[in-house]
């Protein structure tokens, strides 16, 4: 006997927003919201109060050289990884990424950020997926792409001085990047998702980008 499972049977219409208040506005915006939502029993929940970090949607790019089978990664300091009680470095190995500004398209941000953060020009873009970054307390949605690059001339330190960016570029083989992921040297969610996708699909990219 099988049990039929209904997936995502509820939608936005099953949420009642009661209160939406900005409690802090700086580099990011923090809101306090109160809402009710439909339960799986069909009834409505009690009032739920949550704080939500609101951010623009963002684009991230797996920079891949199909001829050399190389990956381009960037390294920079991240405030969320600074912890005086930890021995782990707050300089993280990441994918090129950036927030989508008003009027921009996700693919346009992929091109812009690749040039700003890694000094590379994308010759082709392949859309991978969209996903929520950390929806339990943040509103950011990620548009993930694969971008074709020539890694032979890539390197150095990049970033915009007016945004206090200090970004070092690394070119490594795809196998090395995946090994670093397995060893925990690459430990941020967007890079993990992107590199796992690449490991499963790199032959497809090589065929498409011949």
């Amino acid at each position: 006997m099988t049990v039929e499972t209904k997936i995502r049977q509820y939608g936005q219409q099953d949420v009642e927003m009661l209160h939406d208040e900005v409690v802090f506005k700086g580099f990011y915006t923090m809101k306090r919201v109160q809402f009710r939502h439909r339960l799986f029993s069909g009834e409505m929940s009690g009032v739920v109060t949550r704080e939500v970090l609101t951010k623009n949607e963002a684009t991230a790019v797996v920079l891949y050289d199909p001829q050399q089978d190389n990956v381009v990664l960037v390294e920079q300091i991240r405030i969320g990884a600074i912890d005086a009680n930890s021995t782990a470095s707050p300089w993280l190995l990441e994918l090129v990424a950036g927030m989508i500004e008003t009027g921009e398209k996700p693919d346009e941000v992929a091109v812009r950020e690749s040039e700003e953060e890694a000094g590379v020009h994308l010759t082709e873009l392949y859309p991978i997926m969209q996903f929520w970054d950390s929806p339990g307390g943040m509103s950011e949605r990620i548009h993930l792409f694969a971008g074709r690059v020539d890694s032979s001339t890539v390197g150095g330190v990049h970033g915009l001085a007016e945004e206090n960016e200090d970004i070092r570029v690394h070119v490594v083989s795809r196998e090395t990047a995946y090994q670093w992921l397995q060893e925990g040297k690459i430990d941020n969610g967007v890079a993990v998702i992107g590199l796992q996708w690449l490991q499963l699909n790199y032959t497809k990219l090589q065929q498409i980008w011949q």
Side-chain angles (χ1 to χ4, degrees):
M1 181 177 180
T2 60
V3 177
E4 182 180 352
T5 301
K6 294 182 179 179
I7 300 175
R8 295 192 175 184
Q9 67 190 88
Y10 297 143
Q12 299 287 347
Q13 70 277 6
D14 296 295
V15 179
E16 180 185 359
M17 190 63 67
L18 304 173
H19 184 72
D20 187 337
E21 172 192 8
V22 174
V23 294
F24 177 80
K25 190 172 182 62
F27 189 78
Y28 298 122
T29 299
M30 179 71 74
K31 289 185 176 182
R32 179 175 293 117
V33 300
Q34 291 184 321
F35 65 98
R36 300 169 69 227
H37 64 90
R38 194 165 304 282
L39 302 171
F40 291 119
S41 66
E43 300 176 348
M44 291 298 290
S45 72
V47 177
V48 181
T49 301
R50 292 287 186 272
E51 284 73 43
V52 182
L53 182 66
T54 62
K55 299 175 63 177
N56 289 354
E57 294 186 348
T59 288
V61 194
V62 182
L63 297 176
Y64 181 58
D65 182 337
Q67 272 66 49
Q68 301 296 321
D69 198 21
N70 285 339
V71 176
V72 178
L73 300 171
V74 294
E75 178 186 0
Q76 59 185 314
I77 191 168
R78 288 304 196 187
I79 182 63
I82 297 175
D83 182 355
N85 298 315
S86 173
T87 59
S89 173
W91 275 261
L92 303 185
L93 288 168
E94 302 178 330
L95 305 181
V96 160
M99 288 188 292
I100 301 172
E101 303 297 340
T102 302
E104 284 188 307
K105 297 178 180 179
D107 57 341
E108 294 172 340
V109 178
V111 173
R112 171 172 59 79
E113 290 293 336
S114 295
E115 294 176 348
E116 291 179 1
E117 293 193 350
V120 299
H121 173 68
L122 300 182
T123 57
E124 295 189 63
L125 265 179
Y126 181 88
I128 297 175
M129 67 179 74
Q130 300 177 27
F131 59 91
W132 295 107
D133 190 357
S134 183
M138 187 166 62
S139 64
E140 184 178 49
R141 189 163 175 83
I142 305 294
H143 298 256
L144 183 62
F145 294 87
R148 182 180 184 179
V149 298
D150 176 2
S151 62
S152 62
T153 59
V154 176
V157 176
H158 299 271
L160 298 179
E162 60 269 27
E163 295 183 8
N164 295 306
E165 292 180 331
D166 182 53
I167 303 171
R168 185 164 63 174
V169 176
H170 299 269
V171 178
V172 300
S173 70
R174 173 188 49 79
E175 292 182 347
T176 296
Y178 191 65
Q179 180 181 346
W180 286 355
L181 184 155
Q182 292 177 306
E183 294 172 347
K185 295 177 182 177
I186 297 176
D187 57 358
N188 62 92
V190 175
V192 169
I193 292 170
L195 293 175
Q196 285 181 333
W197 182 92
L198 180 64
Q199 190 68 12
L200 293 171
N201 295 277
Y202 71 92
T203 55
K204 180 202 305 186
L205 286 182
Q206 290 174 349
Q207 293 169 0
I208 294 173
W209 292 344
Q210 285 182 349

